Amino acid sequence: MSGNEAVARAVWEAGVRVAAAYPGTPSTEMLENLALYPDLYAEWSVNEKVSLEVAIGASLTGARGFCAMKHVGLNVASDALMTLTLTGVVGGLVIAVADDVGFSSSQNEQDSRFWGRFGHLPILEPSDSQEAYAMTLEAFALSETHHVPVILRMTTRICHVKCLMTVGERQPHRVADGFTKDPRRWVMVPGNAQHHVPKMLARDKALAAATASSPFNRLEPGSDTHLGFITSGAAYMHVRETFPNAPILKLGFSHPLPTNLVRELANKVEKLVVVEETEPLLETEIKAQGIAVHGKDLLPAHGELSPAVLRKSLASLLGQADTAATPGVHQRPTLDVFPRPPTMCPACPHMGVFYTLSQLRNVNISGDIGCYTLGAGQPWNSLDTCISMGASMGVALGMDKARGPGDEDKKIVAVIGDSTFLHMGMQGLLDIAYNRGNVTILLLDNRTVGMTGGQENPGTGHDLYGKPAPRVDFPKLVEALGIASDRIHVVDPYQLPVLFKTLRQETKTPGPSVIITNQPCVLTDYYKVLKPYEVDEPLCTGCGNCVEVGCPAIYVTRREKAIKPSGKEVELAFARIDTVACTGCNLCEKTCAPKAIRHVQTSQPPAKTINLVAASGE
């Protein structure tokens, strides 16, 4: 099992009744796998805060609750979390947070271990799938023993790497039968909340005592006492591989810190090194105890601490040149991989939107989190900002209200997807309407949470289990948020002339407006593949218009220089379409002036087919 699958299995075995999440790589598969198990309820919530609140509600009734999210999702959920640290829980409540160490698919690389210190919560960090499973089970038991939510800190590598597993069976579990009314505990007005602080501080001491002797914190002896290591999570595996003979303090509980084990290791080695991804949390705490330790003075503060990174960074402590190999460790050759920048899928309905935006002038475009963030790249270059989920709305309004002399004619466009709009964008649109912002919003409804793998949301008409569910009517919702009905347009993004005309008209007209695109993601069952296109090469003039659409099914076969009648030199790009990848959306055909793009001719002679295959393989 992968780490995500292992967590899901443990959640089910722990007798959890309610699980909720919002999809976000690398955490998505936890809930997707949980939905495959019987005897529990799982849901995609509209955002991470709601998912935590659903889990809290289950816990208050005495049932066990679980929620999962990526690291930036805990920022969204933190408002509920920080009050929960005072109230505590009834049924066990575990929050799995997946940190994207290495920026695999995120806008930042924050370290969720901070929330343990901030919220007085225990943090468990598994190093492989088996530990993720075992620690999840332990987290529920710890949560109920100390009436505290527990954070399970995963990272991208632990989430996705697989190992062989030993598992058990489900054990039904419930602490209480129903919710017990206790306003002094659960109604967090100031007069009640202040009485919980001493309880929280007392809980800290109890947790420190309980976790210090946990088998998840273990001191592993080593024959080479020149360097000793303190580490946790995936970094432990890298240290173990790089320095197989070194003593290691492996922390399963990275908070509270077992200072007694730290001192024990420090007394056995010449030099102590903390290897942690990504912030120097342990290093700071250990130094505060008066213990000499190396850490971020030698190791990078971002990215994964792989064996190659460790060898290079710690070479000076070993008296080696920084390129020297660690004795006894196999050195893998480095591979030069051809760069593959991320791009949209063939026929993606967002391509027509960004092709159209690329034709506009004097426009600022604020973007959001989703597949459409790729609009910032080639060949469109049509996204100017991307901050956080839902931020496109507020950023666009701020740009509008900050206009200075000479900016009166500047067009402001915000781009947001359907799921992101429901997650955090609605409030921003309400703010634009309420404050009369001169902003045009492109609401890209592709009927899925596309970038995380095609999950359902309230705009798809189906729930996590694939069952029919009420589907949001976006035009009605937008109107309810304050946009005039005559400024709301639903447009097929494959109809480029209509899209361009509507966008140009709305950006010229003062006041807020919303353009909703209405074609599904090509990777979902909602999309129907059409007959593919091909280039009639003798007719191709090399204008390159089809290439500017950005479809990865279109590629350039050759480039030539040419002189226009005006004397200006231009570069011609002669294109071909990969008919296997093409899904027949017709965006490229609409941009082709010489009409050189046509449907694949099914009556082609075999010789021509063979020639096309041979040419594409050159």
Side-chain angles (χ1 to χ4, degrees), residues 224-230 239 246-249 265 269-274 293:
D224 184 356
T225 58
H226 179 62
L227 292 184
F229 294 91
I230 301 171
V239 171
I248 298 176
L249 172 55
L265 177 61
V269 298
E270 297 177 28
K271 297 176 183 177
L272 195 59
V273 181
V274 178
V293 65

Side-chain angles (χ1 to χ4, degrees), residues 580-608:
V580 175
C582 177
T583 59
C585 73
N586 83 9
L587 281 174
C588 57
E589 188 256 353
K590 284 186 169 62
T591 68
C592 184
K595 305 299 181 184
I597 295 177
R598 63 185 183 186
H599 281 300
V600 168
Q601 304 300 301
T602 57
S603 59
Q604 293 173 339
K608 187 174 182 181

Side-chain angles (χ1 to χ4, degrees), residues 221-565:
S223 58
D224 184 356
T225 58
H226 179 62
L227 292 184
F229 294 91
I230 301 171
T231 187
S232 60
Y236 163 76
M237 293 296 191
H238 298 318
V239 171
R240 184 85 283 173
E241 178 181 341
T242 312
F243 302 96
N245 299 319
I248 298 176
L249 172 55
K250 182 196 180 301
L251 297 177
F253 281 97
S254 59
H255 184 261
L257 177 68
T259 54
N260 58 323
L261 293 178
V262 175
R263 292 188 185 279
E264 184 178 345
L265 177 61
N267 292 332
K268 292 179 178 179
V269 298
E270 297 177 28
K271 297 176 183 177
L272 195 59
V273 181
V274 178
V275 180
E276 52 187 329
E277 298 173 340
T278 54
E279 300 283 348
L281 271 74
L282 296 175
E283 179 185 346
T284 301
E285 292 183 25
I286 292 169
K287 287 180 176 177
Q289 298 292 324
I291 301 172
V293 65
H294 290 285
K296 297 305 178 183
D297 56 327
L298 299 172
L299 296 167
H302 65 89
E304 289 189 302
L305 300 179
S306 65
V309 172
L310 291 176
R311 283 191 290 268
K312 181 179 178 65
S313 300
L314 301 180
S316 60
L317 289 183
L318 299 170
Q320 301 171 344
D322 63 6
T323 56
T326 303
V329 177
H330 173 66
Q331 303 297 306
R332 295 184 179 89
T334 58
L335 299 176
D336 291 328
V337 180
F338 186 80
R340 288 175 173 264
T343 188
M344 296 179 195
C345 301
C348 174
H350 300 337
M351 282 195 301
V353 171
F354 285 103
Y355 175 79
T356 302
L357 286 171
S358 70
Q359 310 302 309
L360 296 180
R361 298 293 177 265
N362 195 31
V363 58
N364 289 341
I365 307 167
S366 64
D368 228 296
I369 306 297
C371 294
Y372 43 89
T373 312
L374 298 170
Q378 297 285 356
W380 313 284
N381 301 311
S382 295
L383 206 65
D384 299 316
T385 70
C386 178
I387 306 299
S388 62
M389 292 197 74
S392 60
M393 299 295 187
V395 169
L397 181 61
M399 287 180 173
D400 172 46
K401 297 302 183 181
R403 294 175 191 264
D407 290 338
E408 295 85 355
D409 296 329
K410 177 71 74 173
K411 304 175 183 68
I412 308 294
V413 174
V415 182
I416 192 168
D418 53 338
S419 179
T420 307
F421 179 74
L422 297 171
H423 177 281
M424 277 290 171
M426 291 187 289
Q427 299 93 325
L429 180 59
L430 178 62
D431 200 50
I432 290 173
Y434 175 66
N435 290 294
R436 298 177 293 277
N438 186 11
V439 177
T440 298
I441 295 94
L442 278 162
L443 203 173
L444 311 184
D445 178 14
N446 65 353
R447 295 192 67 179
T448 191
V449 189
M451 182 160 272
T452 54
Q455 290 75 32
E456 306 293 347
N457 66 63
T460 68
H462 294 86
D463 64 13
L464 171 60
Y465 295 95
K467 297 178 180 178
R471 184 184 177 196
V472 169
D473 186 323
F474 282 106
K476 287 184 178 179
L477 176 58
V478 167
E479 185 175 4
L481 290 171
I483 305 300
S485 59
D486 62 336
R487 302 297 303 278
I488 303 170
H489 306 273
V490 180
V491 178
D492 183 342
Y494 297 123
Q495 300 297 323
L496 293 182
V498 177
L499 178 61
F500 183 79
K501 179 180 178 181
T502 306
L503 187 56
R504 184 173 57 180
Q505 178 62 39
E506 288 304 319
T507 54
K508 286 182 177 179
T509 306
S513 62
V514 176
I515 301 171
I516 305 169
T517 62
N518 64 351
Q519 289 296 330
C521 169
V522 299
L523 300 182
T524 66
D525 293 336
Y526 303 117
Y527 183 81
K528 304 303 179 186
V529 177
L530 303 174
K531 189 176 180 180
Y533 284 86
E534 65 180 357
V535 176
D536 189 342
E537 297 188 34
L539 295 180
C540 180
T541 62
C543 69
N545 287 345
C546 62
V547 178
E548 292 180 4
V549 170
C551 179
I554 302 172
Y555 60 99
V556 177
T557 58
R558 73 181 192 278
R559 297 183 184 274
E560 295 180 3
K561 300 291 186 181
I563 305 297
K564 281 188 169 186

Side-chain angles (χ1 to χ4, degrees), residues 23 46 105 270:
V46 295
S105 58
E270 297 177 28

